[in-house]
Amino acid sequence: MKNFKKLFERYRIDGYLVPKNDEYFNEYVPSSKDRLKFISNFSGSAGLAVILKNKNYLFVDGRYTIQAQRQSGRKFKVITIPNKLPKNILKTNKIIILGFDPKLHTEKNLIFLFKIKNIRLKPIKQNLIDMNWSNKPKELIKPFYSLPTKNVGRAVEKKIALVKKILLKNNTNYLLVTAPENIAWILNIRGQDTLYSPIPNAKLLINQKGEADLFANPEKLIKLKNIKVRTHDEKKFEKILNGISRKKIWLDSLSCSFFYKSLLEKKNKIVQKTDPIHFLKSIKNNTEIKNMKKSHLKDGVALTKFLFWLKKNFKKKKITEISAQKKLENFRKMHPSYKFPSFNTISG
């Protein structure tokens, strides 16, 4: 922590923001991107650290108050949302400059949390946590994969055509898709970037001609050879965005980072509205509905087996929440189409 805070003087800041999320704003982050856990030891799925020169604050919701106190209470004052920073910080004439990584925050969230009279926010492109994280876990890179049209009910071309129609109707040149779950839906692809959800960490740019450009780590793109979009190394994303000018660009304020919004609005007109793909994918086609029913039926069989096992064994052996969770997952694993849990089990 001392070496980390030495950077405050170099960047002329009084504090630094450390969110739980990575640049893709997923619910779950890989260990190589879990900067909040590295700096605070807090392992919950949601939180934000505000680290000042002489004091550290950790914001969590009510699920994690006790956990955060146990894991981080020695070095951080734990604040349960919606409580705010102490009044002696907020009600002072001194200007407090908080640095932040612009790729890890949306402008909308920054305004919501820190539109405070004496606080100034300063974007710093280099992540200060990464500068001090010498033993960072290695990022596991696994390739994306495509889903057959017969399994999803609508081809990629037809989905992109729907977006093209919306862009033309709104006289907009580009849609910047920054929510990985929306990329998964429109391109009929899945990824292996998070523990509990098969979404592909990537960025997508669709123009009003119906042309699409996908940006991701090249090692993740190797199995997408027949996909009907142009693929690029994600390192070229910033350069390509820099080359766009005098265009009208639609981006989603909930998933587009402060960094990309700031970059694009220098030369273009920005339209901040909900990504239309959110609405398109919310209307399920017949194939999707049929597959959802099949999935629930398969899972229901596993759950029924588990309940029968529990009824027969709860008096014979000690069964804890953890052992019951594992037993239920074993029943689910019996089906050949089982992949993994959709979230970490919450036992009650």
Side-chain angles (χ1 to χ4, degrees):
M1 185 70 82
K2 286 183 180 179
N3 289 335
F4 168 67
K5 290 192 177 184
K6 285 179 182 178
L7 294 170
F8 289 10
E9 189 172 339
R10 185 197 302 182
Y11 289 96
R12 297 180 181 179
I13 56 175
D14 301 302
Y16 193 70
L17 307 180
V18 185
K20 177 70 177 184
N21 60 275
D22 61 10
E23 61 268 35
Y24 296 99
F25 299 96
N26 296 323
E27 183 178 2
Y28 301 104
V29 296
S31 56
S32 60
K33 299 289 182 71
D34 198 346
R35 300 174 177 97
L36 184 60
K37 185 179 180 184
F38 168 74
I39 200 69
S40 70
N41 197 43
F42 173 64
S43 63
S45 64
L48 171 71
V50 180
I51 301 174
L52 304 177
K53 289 178 179 177
N54 301 313
K55 190 74 175 177
N56 310 315
Y57 298 93
L58 177 61
F59 289 85
V60 296
D61 61 58
R63 295 173 297 168
Y64 292 122
T65 305
I66 296 173
Q67 177 182 335
Q69 195 63 49
R70 288 177 177 174
Q71 292 181 330
S72 314
R74 283 180 61 249
K75 294 183 178 179
F76 285 78
K77 177 175 176 55
V78 176
I79 300 177
T80 304
I81 299 168
N83 293 322
K84 300 178 181 178
L85 285 166
K87 290 182 179 179
N88 64 318
I89 293 177
L90 302 179
K91 293 187 177 180
T92 175
N93 293 324
K94 183 189 174 187
I95 298 297
I96 298 171
I97 301 173
L98 297 179
F100 69 97
D101 183 337
K103 288 185 178 179
L104 303 185
H105 301 264
T106 65
E107 183 181 64
K108 187 172 184 176
N109 200 44
L110 287 170
I111 291 171
F112 174 74
L113 293 173
F114 297 103
K115 195 175 183 181
I116 301 167
K117 187 177 179 181
N118 66 312
I119 287 183
R120 300 286 182 272
L121 296 173
K122 182 177 181 179
I124 301 171
K125 193 172 182 180
Q126 175 66 52
N127 189 284
L128 302 195
I129 297 293
D130 291 350
M131 292 173 70
N132 277 271
W133 197 353
S134 57
N135 59 338
K136 179 188 284 197
K138 188 176 180 181
E139 184 177 358
L140 298 176
I141 309 239
K142 297 181 180 179
F144 300 158
Y145 55 95
S146 298
L147 299 180
T149 302
K150 66 177 183 178
N151 289 348
V152 293
R154 181 174 284 167
V156 173
E157 296 86 348
K158 291 184 177 180
K159 291 181 177 181
I160 291 177
L162 293 173
V163 172
K164 174 185 174 182
K165 187 177 179 180
I166 293 170
L167 292 176
L168 289 169
K169 184 179 178 181
N170 288 271
N171 192 28
T172 303
N173 301 103
Y174 290 97
L175 171 67
L176 176 58
V177 187
T178 45
E181 64 270 23
N182 288 355
I183 295 172
W185 180 84
I186 197 165
L187 298 184
N188 292 340
I189 64 174
R190 297 295 185 267
Q192 305 173 79
D193 292 318
T194 63
L195 282 176
Y196 301 107
S197 186
I199 54 177
N201 282 348
K203 302 284 193 305
L204 183 69
L205 198 61
I206 304 173
N207 65 29
Q208 61 179 198
K209 295 178 182 178
E211 299 167 334
D213 293 271
L214 177 66
F215 300 84
N217 185 310
E219 293 179 50
K220 297 178 183 179
L221 300 171
I222 55 175
K223 290 187 178 180
L224 301 180
K225 293 175 182 176
N226 297 321
I227 194 167
K228 303 255 167 78
V229 298
R230 296 183 292 245
T231 57
H232 308 269
D233 188 329
E234 61 187 351
K235 292 177 182 176
K236 297 179 180 178
F237 186 53
E238 186 178 336
K239 182 179 179 181
I240 288 177
L241 291 188
N242 256 321
I244 301 173
S245 63
R246 297 180 182 179
K247 302 296 182 184
K248 191 175 177 183
I249 303 174
W250 184 333
L251 53 84
D252 192 329
S253 60
L254 293 175
S255 62
C256 183
S257 71
F258 181 95
F259 179 82
Y260 292 119
K261 178 186 178 291
S262 301
L263 187 151
L264 286 168
E265 68 183 356
K266 292 175 184 177
K267 303 177 188 176
N268 303 279
K269 182 180 179 181
I270 299 299
V271 178
Q272 289 197 86
K273 291 196 293 185
T274 302
D275 183 343
I277 297 174
H278 279 299
F279 303 110
L280 294 173
K281 73 185 173 99
S282 69
I283 303 170
K284 305 303 179 186
N285 61 50
N286 290 334
T287 302
E288 289 172 320
I289 293 170
K290 182 182 72 175
N291 286 335
M292 288 167 71
K293 288 180 178 179
K294 285 169 66 176
S295 296
H296 281 289
L297 183 62
K298 292 172 184 177
D299 191 64
V301 170
L303 183 60
T304 302
K305 288 179 178 179
F306 166 74
L307 292 173
F308 185 73
W309 170 86
L310 187 63
K311 188 175 181 179
K312 282 184 66 178
N313 291 282
F314 80 97
K315 289 183 178 179
K316 299 178 184 177
K317 58 178 77 173
K318 182 181 178 182
I319 301 173
T320 67
E321 291 181 351
I322 301 301
S323 66
Q325 163 199 328
K326 290 179 179 177
K327 189 69 178 181
L328 175 55
E329 188 171 355
N330 285 338
F331 280 121
R332 287 177 167 140
K333 285 178 178 177
M334 288 179 182
H335 200 282
S337 62
Y338 175 83
K339 298 288 186 186
F340 45 76
S342 58
F343 56 91
N344 199 8
T345 300
I346 303 169
S347 296

XYZ file of all heavy atoms in Angstrom, residues 222-276:
463
model
N -9.430 -17.510 -32.931
C -8.933 -18.534 -33.861
C -10.014 -19.503 -34.341
O -9.899 -20.090 -35.405
C -7.756 -19.327 -33.251
C -8.153 -19.940 -31.897
C -6.531 -18.452 -33.098
C -7.083 -20.832 -31.297
N -11.077 -19.693 -33.558
C -12.130 -20.635 -33.953
C -13.305 -19.950 -34.663
O -14.313 -20.583 -34.939
C -12.640 -21.394 -32.725
C -11.639 -22.384 -32.146
C -12.253 -23.221 -31.048
C -11.251 -24.247 -30.518
N -11.836 -25.087 -29.448
N -13.160 -18.670 -34.961
C -14.266 -17.929 -35.588
C -13.969 -17.628 -37.054
O -14.280 -16.560 -37.561
C -14.524 -16.621 -34.824
C -14.885 -16.752 -33.346
C -15.121 -15.380 -32.732
C -16.104 -17.634 -33.148
N -13.367 -18.575 -37.752
C -12.917 -18.345 -39.126
C -14.066 -18.119 -40.108
O -13.929 -17.418 -41.101
C -12.051 -19.514 -39.590
C -10.727 -19.601 -38.821
C -9.920 -20.821 -39.190
C -8.637 -20.882 -38.372
N -7.851 -22.104 -38.637
N -15.207 -18.713 -39.858
C -16.321 -18.598 -40.809
C -17.339 -17.535 -40.420
O -18.364 -17.388 -41.066
C -17.039 -19.955 -40.935
C -16.113 -21.019 -41.487
O -15.313 -20.744 -42.385
N -16.203 -22.232 -40.962
N -17.057 -16.783 -39.378
C -17.998 -15.772 -38.929
C -18.046 -14.617 -39.934
O -17.019 -14.224 -40.494
C -17.632 -15.272 -37.513
C -18.785 -14.495 -36.908
C -16.370 -14.465 -37.514
C -18.620 -14.252 -35.427
N -19.237 -14.095 -40.193
C -19.436 -13.081 -41.251
C -19.161 -11.661 -40.763
O -19.935 -10.744 -41.028
C -20.861 -13.194 -41.766
C -21.172 -14.602 -42.292
C -21.208 -14.668 -43.783
C -21.199 -16.085 -44.280
N -22.334 -16.852 -44.246
N -18.098 -11.455 -39.992
C -17.697 -10.117 -39.559
C -16.178 -10.007 -39.687
O -15.476 -11.011 -39.731
C -18.116 -9.823 -38.094
C -19.622 -9.868 -37.929
C -17.432 -10.757 -37.125
N -15.699 -8.785 -39.742
C -14.250 -8.578 -39.764
C -13.728 -8.669 -38.335
O -14.329 -8.122 -37.415
C -13.935 -7.198 -40.360
C -14.354 -7.057 -41.816
C -13.958 -5.695 -42.372
N -14.697 -4.613 -41.776
C -15.549 -3.824 -42.439
N -15.786 -4.032 -43.732
N -16.164 -2.833 -41.824
N -12.615 -9.356 -38.156
C -12.037 -9.495 -36.822
C -10.703 -8.748 -36.744
O -9.947 -8.688 -37.721
C -11.813 -10.975 -36.466
O -10.972 -11.593 -37.450
C -13.140 -11.725 -36.398
N -10.427 -8.191 -35.567
C -9.219 -7.381 -35.365
C -8.622 -7.676 -33.996
O -9.327 -8.029 -33.054
C -9.551 -5.881 -35.418
C -10.319 -5.449 -36.620
N -9.731 -5.005 -37.783
C -11.661 -5.392 -36.839
C -10.670 -4.683 -38.659
N -11.851 -4.910 -38.108
N -7.324 -7.462 -33.900
C -6.650 -7.495 -32.613
C -7.185 -6.329 -31.780
O -7.259 -5.200 -32.255
C -5.138 -7.338 -32.827
C -4.334 -7.545 -31.548
O -4.854 -7.242 -30.449
O -3.178 -7.990 -31.638
N -7.553 -6.592 -30.522
C -8.125 -5.545 -29.675
C -7.154 -4.379 -29.445
O -7.591 -3.268 -29.101
C -8.549 -6.136 -28.328
C -7.428 -6.739 -27.524
C -7.914 -7.461 -26.264
O -9.110 -7.342 -25.941
O -7.091 -8.141 -25.627
N -5.865 -4.605 -29.669
C -4.890 -3.520 -29.509
C -5.086 -2.419 -30.553
O -4.608 -1.299 -30.383
C -3.470 -4.077 -29.607
C -3.081 -4.974 -28.441
C -1.689 -5.551 -28.618
C -1.316 -6.483 -27.466
N 0.017 -7.121 -27.674
N -5.788 -2.746 -31.662
C -6.024 -1.761 -32.724
C -7.313 -0.964 -32.511
O -7.615 -0.061 -33.282
C -6.092 -2.472 -34.085
C -4.804 -3.167 -34.489
C -4.954 -3.863 -35.829
C -3.661 -4.571 -36.243
N -3.815 -5.296 -37.528
N -8.059 -1.317 -31.474
C -9.379 -0.716 -31.258
C -9.292 0.796 -31.077
O -10.007 1.564 -31.731
C -10.037 -1.364 -30.039
C -11.453 -0.928 -29.800
C -12.409 -0.999 -30.797
C -11.845 -0.451 -28.552
C -13.728 -0.616 -30.574
C -13.149 -0.064 -28.311
C -14.085 -0.147 -29.328
N -8.396 1.228 -30.217
C -8.256 2.658 -29.942
C -7.846 3.431 -31.205
O -8.380 4.506 -31.498
C -7.227 2.866 -28.832
C -7.106 4.297 -28.362
C -6.101 4.445 -27.229
O -5.848 3.451 -26.511
O -5.562 5.556 -27.068
N -6.914 2.852 -31.971
C -6.442 3.508 -33.200
C -7.569 3.649 -34.212
O -7.725 4.702 -34.863
C -5.290 2.699 -33.796
C -4.694 3.317 -35.056
C -3.545 2.466 -35.586
C -2.967 3.075 -36.865
N -1.852 2.236 -37.408
N -8.391 2.599 -34.362
C -9.491 2.647 -35.321
C -10.549 3.651 -34.881
O -11.080 4.419 -35.698
C -10.089 1.243 -35.518
C -9.093 0.399 -36.330
C -11.452 1.289 -36.218
C -9.497 -1.035 -36.561
N -10.841 3.702 -33.590
C -11.802 4.695 -33.099
C -11.274 6.112 -33.327
O -12.036 7.023 -33.664
C -12.089 4.482 -31.612
C -12.871 3.223 -31.209
C -13.236 3.293 -29.726
C -14.124 3.037 -32.042
N -9.980 6.274 -33.150
C -9.357 7.593 -33.384
C -9.508 8.044 -34.827
O -9.493 9.244 -35.119
C -7.873 7.546 -33.021
C -7.592 8.215 -31.693
O -8.185 9.241 -31.368
N -6.704 7.640 -30.910
N -9.608 7.079 -35.738
C -9.710 7.407 -37.160
C -11.117 7.761 -37.612
O -11.325 8.146 -38.766
N -12.103 7.643 -36.736
C -13.493 7.980 -37.083
C -13.747 9.452 -36.758
O -13.451 9.906 -35.647
C -14.483 7.087 -36.309
C -14.242 5.612 -36.629
C -15.923 7.475 -36.648
C -15.066 4.656 -35.780
N -14.271 10.192 -37.693
C -14.552 11.609 -37.453
C -15.812 12.044 -38.192
O -16.206 11.448 -39.199
C -13.361 12.473 -37.887
O -13.135 12.343 -39.276
N -16.449 13.072 -37.640
C -17.652 13.685 -38.220
C -18.772 12.657 -38.451
O -19.464 12.694 -39.461
C -17.315 14.401 -39.524
C -16.335 15.555 -39.327
C -16.021 16.244 -40.633
N -15.056 17.313 -40.452
C -14.584 18.082 -41.436
N -15.003 17.868 -42.693
N -13.717 19.037 -41.206
N -18.902 11.749 -37.517
C -19.945 10.731 -37.602
C -20.860 10.820 -36.379
O -20.516 11.424 -35.363
C -19.337 9.320 -37.666
C -18.385 9.091 -38.827
C -19.081 9.189 -40.170
C -18.108 8.901 -41.307
N -18.727 9.089 -42.632
N -22.011 10.199 -36.505
C -22.950 10.108 -35.388
C -22.840 8.698 -34.823
O -23.090 7.719 -35.533
C -24.371 10.397 -35.879
C -25.393 10.589 -34.775
C -26.736 10.988 -35.397
C -27.821 11.128 -34.340
N -29.135 11.446 -34.973
N -22.439 8.601 -33.557
C -22.132 7.299 -32.959
C -23.022 7.052 -31.742
O -23.094 7.865 -30.829
C -20.652 7.213 -32.561
C -19.760 7.465 -33.786
C -20.341 5.853 -31.946
C -18.293 7.553 -33.483
N -23.658 5.909 -31.765
C -24.550 5.478 -30.681
C -23.752 4.624 -29.713
O -23.127 3.646 -30.103
C -25.693 4.677 -31.300
C -26.786 4.206 -30.389
C -26.705 3.932 -29.056
C -28.136 3.936 -30.765
N -27.912 3.504 -28.574
C -28.822 3.492 -29.604
C -28.852 3.997 -31.974
C -30.168 3.133 -29.626
C -30.178 3.638 -31.984
C -30.836 3.217 -30.827
N -23.757 4.998 -28.442
C -23.121 4.167 -27.430
C -23.998 4.108 -26.193
O -24.840 4.970 -25.959
C -21.705 4.656 -27.103
C -21.495 6.124 -26.699
C -21.768 6.301 -25.208
C -20.079 6.561 -27.033
N -23.793 3.057 -25.407
C -24.614 2.806 -24.222
C -23.897 3.344 -22.986
O -22.800 2.912 -22.662
C -24.861 1.295 -24.079
C -25.939 0.973 -23.060
O -26.085 1.734 -22.085
O -26.640 -0.039 -23.242
N -24.543 4.279 -22.299
C -23.910 4.921 -21.139
C -23.715 3.961 -19.970
O -22.948 4.238 -19.057
C -24.741 6.115 -20.675
O -26.040 5.700 -20.294
N -24.389 2.802 -19.991
C -24.255 1.842 -18.905
C -23.064 0.903 -19.081
O -22.606 0.288 -18.117
C -25.538 1.002 -18.771
C -26.785 1.751 -18.327
C -27.991 0.816 -18.358
C -26.611 2.333 -16.930
N -22.563 0.776 -20.318
C -21.466 -0.177 -20.538
C -20.282 0.418 -21.299
O -19.250 -0.239 -21.421
C -21.978 -1.410 -21.295
O -22.458 -1.053 -22.576
N -20.428 1.638 -21.813
C -19.300 2.265 -22.518
C -18.481 3.074 -21.516
O -19.014 3.933 -20.809
C -19.793 3.174 -23.642
S -18.430 3.893 -24.598
N -17.209 2.808 -21.462
C -16.357 3.448 -20.460
C -16.166 4.933 -20.741
O -16.355 5.419 -21.856
C -14.988 2.765 -20.415
O -14.248 3.059 -21.591
N -15.769 5.635 -19.695
C -15.430 7.058 -19.788
C -14.354 7.265 -20.858
O -14.393 8.242 -21.613
C -14.910 7.527 -18.417
C -14.529 8.978 -18.348
C -15.430 9.927 -17.897
C -13.255 9.392 -18.717
C -15.068 11.270 -17.822
C -12.882 10.726 -18.652
C -13.799 11.672 -18.203
N -13.421 6.322 -20.938
C -12.300 6.454 -21.876
C -12.774 6.501 -23.327
O -12.400 7.398 -24.089
C -11.330 5.284 -21.683
C -10.157 5.308 -22.624
C -9.049 6.090 -22.349
C -10.159 4.552 -23.789
C -7.961 6.121 -23.224
C -9.090 4.575 -24.660
C -7.990 5.365 -24.379
N -13.604 5.518 -23.741
C -14.019 5.454 -25.143
C -15.007 6.557 -25.496
O -14.993 7.066 -26.617
C -14.589 4.074 -25.450
C -13.536 2.997 -25.390
C -13.627 1.944 -24.481
C -12.400 3.048 -26.212
C -12.636 0.973 -24.405
C -11.412 2.086 -26.136
C -11.537 1.049 -25.227
O -10.542 0.104 -25.153
N -15.838 6.933 -24.560
C -16.743 8.055 -24.820
C -15.942 9.338 -25.047
O -16.188 10.092 -25.992
C -17.718 8.251 -23.666
C -18.665 9.448 -23.884
C -19.525 9.724 -22.688
C -20.399 10.936 -22.931
N -19.659 12.206 -22.986
N -14.954 9.574 -24.172
C -14.126 10.787 -24.290
C -13.352 10.801 -25.599
O -13.214 11.845 -26.252
C -13.148 10.876 -23.113
O -13.832 10.896 -21.886
N -12.852 9.631 -25.994
C -12.083 9.532 -27.236
C -12.961 9.854 -28.457
O -12.559 10.605 -29.346
C -11.495 8.127 -27.336
C -10.506 7.823 -28.461
C -9.540 6.741 -28.028
C -11.224 7.372 -29.726
N -14.167 9.294 -28.485
C -15.042 9.455 -29.652
C -15.663 10.832 -29.754
O -15.882 11.352 -30.855
C -16.141 8.392 -29.617
C -15.709 6.967 -29.971
C -16.797 5.960 -29.626
C -15.347 6.868 -31.454
N -15.976 11.462 -28.628
C -16.685 12.734 -28.691
C -15.791 13.903 -29.121
O -16.284 14.979 -29.413
C -17.345 13.050 -27.344
C -16.411 13.356 -26.206
C -17.157 13.591 -24.902
O -18.407 13.577 -24.924
O -16.496 13.790 -23.865
N -14.471 13.660 -29.222
C -13.572 14.717 -29.693
C -13.846 15.090 -31.149
O -13.737 16.246 -31.538
C -12.105 14.276 -29.555
C -11.623 14.145 -28.121
C -10.201 13.598 -28.082
C -9.720 13.372 -26.655
N -8.359 12.763 -26.620
N -14.209 14.073 -31.972
C -14.376 14.324 -33.406
C -15.766 13.961 -33.924
O -16.032 14.095 -35.118
C -13.345 13.502 -34.202
C -11.901 13.739 -33.836
C -11.017 12.795 -34.649
C -9.575 12.827 -34.207
N -8.756 11.836 -34.961
N -16.638 13.490 -33.042
C -17.929 12.974 -33.506
C -19.073 13.461 -32.633
O -18.863 13.987 -31.537
C -17.906 11.435 -33.487
C -16.790 10.845 -34.323
O -16.894 10.722 -35.530
N -15.692 10.467 -33.660
N -20.271 13.233 -33.119
C -21.465 13.503 -32.323
C -21.871 12.204 -31.636
O -22.051 11.180 -32.282
C -22.615 14.010 -33.210
C -23.866 14.345 -32.414
C -24.984 14.850 -33.303
C -26.228 15.161 -32.475
N -27.364 15.628 -33.311
N -21.995 12.269 -30.314
C -22.305 11.082 -29.532
C -23.788 11.056 -29.156
O -24.349 12.061 -28.716
C -21.451 11.032 -28.248
C -19.960 10.965 -28.596
C -21.845 9.848 -27.378
C -19.552 9.763 -29.392
N -24.404 9.889 -29.343
C -25.779 9.660 -28.895
C -25.722 8.608 -27.800
O -25.296 7.477 -28.045
C -26.671 9.158 -30.056
C -28.083 8.886 -29.542
C -26.691 10.158 -31.193
N -26.107 8.984 -26.580
C -26.079 8.038 -25.457
C -27.493 7.520 -25.200
O -28.332 8.215 -24.638
C -25.533 8.709 -24.201
C -24.040 8.999 -24.266
C -23.464 9.272 -22.886
O -23.082 8.364 -22.161
N -23.388 10.534 -22.532
N -27.727 6.295 -25.636
C -29.011 5.635 -25.413
C -28.751 4.156 -25.132
O -27.676 3.642 -25.431
C -29.914 5.767 -26.654
C -30.405 7.183 -26.909
C -31.585 7.202 -27.873
C -31.186 6.771 -29.278
N -32.316 6.921 -30.228
N -29.747 3.504 -24.583
C -29.612 2.066 -24.328
C -29.309 1.337 -25.636
O -29.945 1.584 -26.660
C -30.910 1.509 -23.716
O -31.191 2.221 -22.512
C -30.770 0.025 -23.407
N -28.316 0.472 -25.604
C -27.969 -0.354 -26.762
C -29.228 -1.079 -27.250
O -29.862 -1.812 -26.482
C -26.902 -1.371 -26.329
C -26.390 -2.246 -27.465
O -27.055 -2.317 -28.507
O -25.329 -2.867 -27.277
N -29.626 -0.901 -28.521
C -30.865 -1.534 -29.017
C -30.831 -3.058 -28.966
O -31.880 -3.709 -28.971
C -30.967 -1.026 -30.455
C -29.570 -0.661 -30.844
C -28.947 -0.134 -29.579
